[in-house]
Amino acid sequence: MYVTTVGEFRAIAGDIVVIPAGVPHASHGGAGSIVSHLYLPSDHAAVKGISGPLYIRNSRATLPDELLDAIGSCPRRLTRPARCAALTELVSCDDLAIRTIAARQGRSTDGFIRLFKREVGMTPAAYRLALRLAWARSRLKRGDTVADVAYTGSFSDQSHLGRLFRRAYGATPAAYRSAFAD
């Protein structure tokens, strides 16, 4: 199951879920669930123009070329509500406290958190963590050391980054980094 800004997708064998870069999401697989991930740059022809999560049922694609063909042949549509985009943009300002953001919108802190979770699918804190982990992933892919990424990304230490990274992506930061080494 994938939880995104536009709702939940319960994928079964043969389904494809496309989640564009920068869209907050969480995946929750149960025991025995098998998920393959294919990461593509946002300018790749198959995913260019996809601005929100896309769910393709029963594609039966198994090979990477078949997956790309299935994704590339789907119609493009905007699925992210403008209000949701405004909220996520506002909360991505890491230097603002949630109570400050809530006050600017004329809401209580708890009211803002409930609204944000209802519209985005996760709390503001979980969203900010997802942004930090995505940033860490991009820095590791560039070849930055795990220690530098942990320090620059304001993680407590390397093991803190490692725990969160493994929970989110299923691999250690060092293993992820080495997969992109020349």
Side-chain angles (χ1 to χ4, degrees), residues 73-104:
S73 64
C74 281
R76 306 302 196 237
R77 64 188 190 286
L78 179 64
T79 56
R80 192 174 194 186
R83 183 173 176 184
C84 174
L87 281 174
T88 56
E89 182 179 344
L90 186 62
V91 170
S92 66
C93 300
D94 214 13
D95 58 334
L96 292 178
I98 296 302
R99 67 178 165 274
T100 304
I101 297 169
R104 285 184 180 178

Side-chain angles (χ1 to χ4, degrees), residues 40 43-48 50 67-69 71-73 76:
L40 299 171
D43 60 350
H44 190 283
V47 295
K48 196 170 199 154
I50 297 177
L67 290 167
L68 294 174
D69 287 343
I71 295 166
S73 64
R76 306 302 196 237

